[in-house]
Amino acid sequence: MNMTNEGLDCGFHRSRLPSEMNQGQEGNIMSILKNCLGKELSKVTMPVTLNEPLSFLQRICEYMEYAEILNQASNEEDPADRMKFVATFAVSALASNWERVGKPFNPLLGETYEFQRNGFKIVCEQVSHHPPISAFHAESPHYKFYGSINPKIKFMGKSIEIQPKGVVTVELLRWKEAYTWSNVNCCVHNIVMGKLWIEQHGTMEIKNHSNGYRAVLEFKEASSTKEANQVYGFIENNQKIPVYRLYGKWNKLLRCVSESDFQRYVHQKSDKKADASNDRSRKIFSKLNNLKMSSFLSVSIQEDPIDTTQLEDLSINDDEVQIPSEIQSVLLWKCNERPENSDKYYHFTDFAMQLNAMDPEIKDVLCPTDSRLRPDIRCLEEGDNSGASAQKNRLEEKQRNRTRNVKHNEIGVPRWFKHGINPLTKYEDWMFTGNYWERNYSNISEIF
Ligand SMILES: CC(C)CCC[C@@H](C)[C@H]1CC[C@H]2[C@@H]3CC=C4C[C@@H](O)CC[C@]4(C)[C@H]3CC[C@]12C
């Protein structure tokens, strides 16, 4: 559980990339996109100047930055507490997307990526090219986390809307439980002009398939920057009775209050002469309560009508979400600070900085299809944009030659995953065949 001990497994740690990104990266997006209105963007070739030096497979590993939260989940005896931490993990997994407006490289068919750290290991493989599907499988002594992502990217005129299609599953081994959810949509704003910024919005429903517990989290669409990035929701038991309320920001922190404390507070509303701080907290709570009234909620609790004018100016403080001292609120997760000069390095987190590092210890045992061996990404990381562009064209051309008129399985793809029905969730899924770590690389086609 020691996440501060960087590089425990990866041998070394770098605090920045070998080269700063070239300025004007956000350059002339419109000239590229003007003919793409409403089109599926995965088929549109874009210049490397819009890229970040990571493959989408590496990007998927960023879900794991706070994976130790799953160990906490596994330690809890109460199913509501386990759900609380699984939900916390699901939110933490999206934190790295904040300010990340570079486009990761589309993985080549059959490309893989592996990563190990502090007790978990993860393998990703590009299992399909059209549509692009990336499968991943992480495991530790306490949990498994796996699934597949098929990002649907659409240009909407002023913004780009991304739907990360696919279901992800957490298994807590000690409890033989499977939890599933889908990630919320992501929107890149200000494509025409202004500063690009990322929003994640929508409802995330996390299901425990063995006992019917559920978490519902609302990622709020921003009506002002003050309101940006807010997340709130609840956890309910198998009788559909809420047990916990969660609130925070996906790029900052997540807090939890018990339902009884929450209700007690909401019903103290008769005290009209509350002081300023009380008033502020009340606004937060009326907002949480508001959620309960939304259509997806099946429970109704008697309450005073909410003064919606008060909701308008509610802002959750950037560093801390203020709540009254008489209410027990627990900090479930706090986001790590971005490293110094992160803005010069594609807004990478410290975790992201490590993903494409070539650790001398694994260099010689890496699978030949590993993203770290992609020359175009390596060039971009080193600041060689024209090299990156030339290599990217070469790799894509090579891929076209390799895949022309053949079925994926004829060229040995997928190699490490198998499509089928997951017995725990009964969903269609890409399941890990489990033998990657034996490092038998026979019959692997050369993709780079
Ligand atoms: C033309 C330029 C501006 C396009 C840049 C598009 C970038 C910002 C898009 C392209 C693909 C997108 C990613 C696709 C899928 C996922 C998985 C999801 O669970 C979290 C968001 C995340 C990680 C998206 C973040 C935003 C993303 C990286």
Side-chain angles (χ1 to χ4, degrees):
M1 273 234 257
N2 184 358
M3 291 301 284
T4 52
N5 194 350
E6 301 291 351
L8 192 68
D9 299 319
C10 42
F12 69 89
H13 176 265
R14 61 183 189 181
S15 53
R16 53 181 180 80
L17 302 180
S19 166
E20 289 183 10
M21 67 191 221
N22 288 306
Q23 291 306 309
Q25 178 224 25
E26 291 158 20
N28 205 353
I29 303 176
M30 263 325 271
S31 66
I32 302 147
L33 294 181
K34 64 173 185 279
N35 298 320
C36 305
L37 204 77
K39 266 194 206 155
E40 175 58 51
L41 285 190
S42 63
K43 286 188 182 167
V44 179
T45 313
M46 291 195 218
V48 285
T49 47
L50 297 178
N51 280 102
E52 61 175 17
L54 287 178
S55 154
F56 186 62
L57 299 182
Q58 294 169 306
R59 186 78 186 250
I60 283 181
C61 291
E62 297 191 44
Y63 287 149
M64 301 300 286
E65 180 170 350
Y66 302 94
E68 86 277 9
I69 297 170
L70 291 176
N71 294 329
Q72 276 175 277
S74 160
N75 281 335
E76 296 291 345
E77 304 285 331
D78 181 329
D81 289 320
R82 292 199 291 279
M83 179 58 97
K84 184 172 81 183
F85 284 115
V86 172
T88 304
F89 170 72
V91 173
S92 76
L94 300 179
S96 72
N97 293 323
W98 182 58
E99 299 212 307
R100 292 281 292 280
V101 292
K103 189 182 178 301
F105 284 71
N106 287 333
L108 300 161
L109 184 64
E111 183 177 323
T112 58
Y113 183 71
E114 63 163 78
F115 188 75
Q116 301 189 52
R117 172 185 279 220
N118 303 344
F120 74 79
K121 45 189 182 183
I122 180 168
V123 183
C124 313
E125 179 180 1
Q126 191 70 2
V127 292
S128 165
H129 185 54
H130 285 309
I133 302 176
S134 315
F136 67 94
H137 180 97
E139 60 191 26
S140 90
H142 306 292
Y143 60 82
K144 288 181 181 170
F145 174 52
Y146 53 83
S148 64
I149 306 284
N150 161 211
K152 296 249 178 222
I153 309 177
K154 266 197 174 146
F155 177 50
M156 308 301 286
K158 289 179 177 161
S159 59
I160 294 177
E161 183 76 28
I162 299 123
Q163 185 198 0
K165 274 186 70 178
V167 174
V168 300
T169 305
V170 162
E171 280 180 32
L172 297 182
L173 306 179
R174 177 180 164 201
W175 304 96
K176 298 190 171 58
E177 284 176 336
Y179 298 77
T180 59
W181 68 94
S182 290
N183 281 311
V184 294
N185 285 6
C186 178
C187 186
V188 189
H189 291 281
N190 286 346
I191 295 298
V192 183
M193 57 180 189
K195 192 172 174 273
L196 294 177
W197 65 283
I198 297 252
E199 170 165 65
Q200 301 190 91
H201 60 90
T203 307
M204 178 186 271
E205 187 197 25
I206 307 174
K207 277 192 246 178
N208 181 328
H209 287 253
S210 34
N211 62 14
Y213 276 63
R214 200 168 74 112
V216 179
L217 295 169
E218 183 72 14
F219 288 66
K220 207 180 164 293
E221 208 160 336
S223 53
S224 73
T225 46
K226 228 172 38 163
E227 294 215 331
N229 311 334
Q230 288 185 20
V231 179
Y232 43 92
F234 60 89
I235 285 160
E236 64 175 28
N237 64 18
N238 45 3
Q239 324 300 334
K240 298 198 180 300
I241 311 276
V243 185
Y244 288 121
R245 301 279 166 162
L246 306 182
Y247 60 99
K249 290 188 167 197
W250 58 259
N251 63 332
K252 290 277 179 338
L253 64 126
L254 195 67
R255 287 189 162 276
C256 175
V257 209
S258 73
E259 182 64 15
S260 49
D261 283 347
F262 172 71
Q263 288 305 327
R264 201 175 319 134
Y265 199 76
V266 167
H267 289 105
Q268 275 172 19
K269 283 179 104 182
S270 52
D271 176 15
K272 288 271 152 41
K273 277 173 265 161
D275 62 32
S277 75
N278 249 344
D279 201 44
R280 207 184 121 67
S281 324
R282 182 153 302 142
K283 287 179 196 168
I284 294 175
F285 281 101
S286 33
K287 192 154 195 174
L288 286 167
N289 213 29
N290 204 20
L291 179 69
K292 182 180 68 198
M293 302 190 302
S294 335
S295 55
F296 53 80
L297 265 169
S298 42
V299 192
S300 82
I301 297 164
Q302 58 147 115
E303 59 188 313
D304 303 337
I306 287 169
D307 177 359
T308 46
T309 56
Q310 286 201 337
L311 298 181
E312 295 299 300
D313 60 359
L314 167 66
S315 77
I316 293 181
N317 188 311
D318 252 17
D319 305 312
E320 267 299 313
V321 181
Q322 294 292 327
I323 68 134
S325 51
E326 70 266 29
I327 291 199
Q328 283 254 296
S329 125
V330 179
L331 180 69
L332 293 173
W333 161 77
K334 200 166 161 53
C335 188
N336 295 330
E337 295 281 320
R338 294 280 162 105
E340 207 184 326
N341 295 326
S342 164
D343 56 336
K344 298 194 171 78
Y345 300 105
Y346 308 86
H347 296 280
F348 277 10
T349 58
D350 183 77
F351 189 90
M353 297 282 187
Q354 315 315 318
L355 292 170
N356 201 46
M358 188 50 99
D359 180 346
E361 273 173 34
I362 59 167
K363 193 171 182 218
D364 298 327
V365 296
L366 265 188
C367 187
T369 47
D370 196 277
S371 308
R372 291 175 189 83
L373 301 167
R374 265 186 83 153
D376 49 355
I377 298 181
R378 187 65 58 197
C379 282
L380 185 63
E381 180 181 286
E382 287 164 355
D384 174 7
N385 284 11
S386 57
S389 178
Q391 290 288 358
K392 181 166 172 276
N393 291 337
R394 182 183 66 78
L395 293 177
E396 284 166 357
E397 179 61 27
K398 185 164 174 170
Q399 164 160 272
R400 277 189 287 274
N401 290 334
R402 187 164 54 99
T403 57
R404 195 170 285 143
N405 305 325
V406 296
K407 296 228 165 58
H408 287 174
N409 57 9
E410 287 169 31
I411 47 172
V413 175
R415 171 69 199 253
W416 313 107
F417 289 82
K418 197 171 77 225
H419 195 253
I421 303 285
N422 181 332
L424 287 173
T425 62
K426 312 280 186 275
Y427 294 154
E428 270 190 41
D429 221 338
W430 286 93
M431 280 161 303
F432 189 50
T433 54
N435 51 12
Y436 176 89
W437 298 102
E438 290 158 22
R439 300 200 178 284
N440 172 359
Y441 304 140
S442 58
N443 305 321
I444 286 201
S445 49
E446 194 204 291
I447 63 170
F448 298 143

